[in-house]
């Protein structure tokens, strides 16, 4: 039986064994790059177009297909053998749990193939951080997975999509990215899926990892890493979506001055299995909302206290007696990422102590 072998493994073998693998007539500069990267396109501004070159708001996202995205950056052919697949063509505010399950299954299938060394996902920036964290928890491979978007459509002056896509493919083709979990390539920077967030409505430097720090930079056609998260990801998680067609309903309620429990009660009434409470400050619970949260928990709804400020630890038994209320705290996850972890946690257990363990693990 013949065993398929990726061209990158073959070139490593050639280098190690001094085998004359390359055809002598081919000069090094002309040889195809050895890494094989598949680009999965999902839409967003990186595939968007505007009426004029100065249209940077009011353009249409998700209009350009993956073949045109690849053709617009011929430099990609220098760093990897690239294939494209159009998985969806949507603005990322329409990304759903079902899209995530479809995407994650496709990523896992591709990465199980010996002829795929890495995957790049082009994505709208609005929910890019959420898709990245979902994949970080459910991809079952050490091979690189890189999400990339753009803050300006391809028709704009100084469009950022082409350089971001080039960097993403460079990263997905690199040995440095192996085993680092799902990564985000934006604005010449490398971010980790768990902690990156979109911080500005429109500027190209919108993606940041506040306080915990980005992982590295791109410079001179190379990725450089400086940090790594200590949290478990990809092959080291307990989550398996291979047989799932849906995820439990988990919703977010927001804290603010003069808050009322109407939205919370409606979501619980509509069947939410979990609620992320994006509390003010360090995750405080207003006295007008606490009775509804307590009642929801007694009905079996999992309650996670998170914080709308988006940075810092929400301390267990800090602003509320979580042990007594049987609530979970989100640690440093922002509300939208806490929602993802709680959905996946609920596919494994409804035990609040076990779910708290997961929030301190991932
Ligand atoms: C989107 O998220 O699909 C639109 C905004 C963007 O990609 O920057």
């Amino acid at each position: 039986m013949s065993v398929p072998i990726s061209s990158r493994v073959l070139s490593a073998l050639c280098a190690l064994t001094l085998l004359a693998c390359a055809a002598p007539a081919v000069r090094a500069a002309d040889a195809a790059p050895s890494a094989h990267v598949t680009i999965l396109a999902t839409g967003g501004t990186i595939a968007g177009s505007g009426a004029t070159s100065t249209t940077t708001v009011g353009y249409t996202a998700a209009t350009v297909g993956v073949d045109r995205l690849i053709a617009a950056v011929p430099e990609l052919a220098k760093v990897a053998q690239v294939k494209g697949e159009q998985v969806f063509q949507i603005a990322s505010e329409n990304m759903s749990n079902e899209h995530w399950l479809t995407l994650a299954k496709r990523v896992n299938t591709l990465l199980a193939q010996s002829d795929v060394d890495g995957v790049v996902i082009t994505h709208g920036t609005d929910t890019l951080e959420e898709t990245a964290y979902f994949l970080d928890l459910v991809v079952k491979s050490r091979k690189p997975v890189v999400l990339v978007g753009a803050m300006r459509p391809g028709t704009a002056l100084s469009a950022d999509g082409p350089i971001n896509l080039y960097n993403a493919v460079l990263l997905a083709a690199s040995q440095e990215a192996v085993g680092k979990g799902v990564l985000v390539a934006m604005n010449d920077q490398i971010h980790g899926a768990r902690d990156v967030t979109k911080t500005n409505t429109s500027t190209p430097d919108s993606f940041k990892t506040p306080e915990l720090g980005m992982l590295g930079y791109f410079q001179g056609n190379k990725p450089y890493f400086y940090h790594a998260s200590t949290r478990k990801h990809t092959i080291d998680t307990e989550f398996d979506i291979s047989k799932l067609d849906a995820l439990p309903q988990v919703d977010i309620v927001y804290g603010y001055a003069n808050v009322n429990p109407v939205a919370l009660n409606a979501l619980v009434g509509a069947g939410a299995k979990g609620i992320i409470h994006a509390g003010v400050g360090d995750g405080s619970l207003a006295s007008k909302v606490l009775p509804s949260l307590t009642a929801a928990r007694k009905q079996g709804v999992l309650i996670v206290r998170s914080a709308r400020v988006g940075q810092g630890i929400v301390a267990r038994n800090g602003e509320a007696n979580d042990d007594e209320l049987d609530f979970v705290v989100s640690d440093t996850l922002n509300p939208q990422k806490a929602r993802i972890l709680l959905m996946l946690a609920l596919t494994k257990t409804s035990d609040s102590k076990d779910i708290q363990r997961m929030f301190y693990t991932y």
Side-chain angles (χ1 to χ4, degrees):
M1 190 184 77
S2 74
V3 178
I5 185 164
S6 89
S7 54
R8 194 152 60 154
V9 171
L10 187 59
S11 20
L13 278 175
C14 293
L16 283 171
T17 59
L18 302 178
L19 286 175
C21 296
V26 179
R27 287 183 298 122
D30 298 333
S34 58
H36 290 72
V37 171
T38 301
I39 299 178
L40 300 179
T42 72
T45 295
I46 192 167
S49 49
T52 72
S53 62
T54 52
T55 304
T56 53
V57 289
Y59 56 85
T60 312
T63 60
V64 175
V66 67
D67 293 343
R68 272 177 63 200
L69 285 184
I70 293 172
V73 192
E75 294 82 357
L76 295 179
K78 292 192 181 144
V79 292
Q81 298 189 42
V82 169
K83 279 189 193 157
E85 282 180 30
Q86 194 73 47
V87 190
F88 321 118
Q89 185 63 297
I90 60 172
S92 78
E93 62 265 32
N94 297 318
M95 196 59 69
S96 65
N97 295 347
E98 290 70 33
H99 287 117
W100 282 342
L101 290 169
T102 303
L103 182 62
K105 286 174 190 172
R106 186 68 192 130
V107 170
N108 279 332
T109 300
L110 284 167
L111 294 181
Q113 292 175 203
S114 61
D115 61 349
V116 177
D117 297 305
V119 166
V120 166
I121 298 162
T122 62
H123 198 291
T125 60
D126 290 348
T127 59
L128 187 150
E129 66 185 87
E130 295 176 52
T131 302
Y133 187 51
F134 180 75
L135 294 174
D136 200 47
L137 295 172
V138 302
V139 164
K140 294 297 162 206
S141 175
R142 286 171 52 77
K143 292 179 185 174
V145 176
V146 183
L147 275 91
V148 63
M151 295 299 294
R152 295 176 178 152
T155 44
L157 283 175
S158 285
D160 52 337
I163 184 66
N164 287 346
L165 182 60
Y166 175 77
N167 283 337
V169 172
L170 195 66
L171 190 58
S174 75
Q175 280 302 320
E176 288 90 335
V178 172
K180 297 275 194 327
V182 173
L183 301 169
V184 172
M186 292 289 290
N187 197 38
D188 286 348
Q189 296 177 344
I190 306 166
H191 297 267
R194 182 185 186 276
D195 302 317
V196 68
T197 192
K198 183 173 179 176
T199 65
N200 186 289
T201 56
S202 37
T203 58
D205 65 347
S206 177
F207 279 76
K208 304 240 193 292
T209 304
E211 302 200 326
L212 296 178
M214 63 175 176
L215 307 187
Y217 296 107
F218 297 95
Q219 197 180 64
N221 301 308
K222 281 182 74 168
Y224 291 89
F225 279 89
Y226 298 90
H227 294 139
S229 173
T230 58
R231 294 308 175 101
K232 290 188 176 178
H233 56 71
T234 57
I235 57 168
D236 294 321
T237 77
E238 58 210 274
F239 307 118
D240 175 10
I241 51 88
S242 60
K243 297 195 176 57
L244 297 180
D245 296 320
L247 294 168
Q249 186 191 333
V250 174
D251 294 296
I252 301 173
V253 295
Y254 206 74
Y256 49 93
N258 202 44
V259 68
N260 66 66
V262 174
L264 168 62
N265 292 339
L267 290 167
V268 172
K273 301 286 180 284
I275 292 288
I276 308 298
H277 183 267
V280 295
D282 54 355
S284 298
L285 305 174
S287 50
K288 276 197 187 160
V289 169
L290 185 56
S292 294
L293 287 171
T294 309
R297 181 68 199 115
K298 288 204 169 109
Q299 286 173 44
V301 178
L302 254 293
I303 308 295
V304 174
R305 283 200 306 116
S306 180
R308 70 175 197 178
V309 297
Q311 290 167 58
I313 301 171
V314 175
R316 190 166 176 87
N317 298 320
E319 282 293 342
N321 189 336
D322 298 296
D323 288 348
E324 198 175 290
L325 294 163
D326 199 23
F327 291 173
V328 170
V329 289
S330 68
D331 187 32
T332 61
L333 285 182
N334 68 25
Q336 57 271 32
K337 292 191 187 177
R339 189 185 85 86
I340 291 164
L341 182 52
L342 182 55
M343 285 193 300
L344 289 170
L346 286 168
T347 66
K348 304 288 291 183
T349 181
S350 56
D351 181 79
S352 62
K353 289 192 181 53
D354 205 23
I355 292 176
Q356 184 66 78
R357 172 192 61 78
M358 294 178 192
F359 273 84
Y360 286 133
T361 304
Y362 302 112

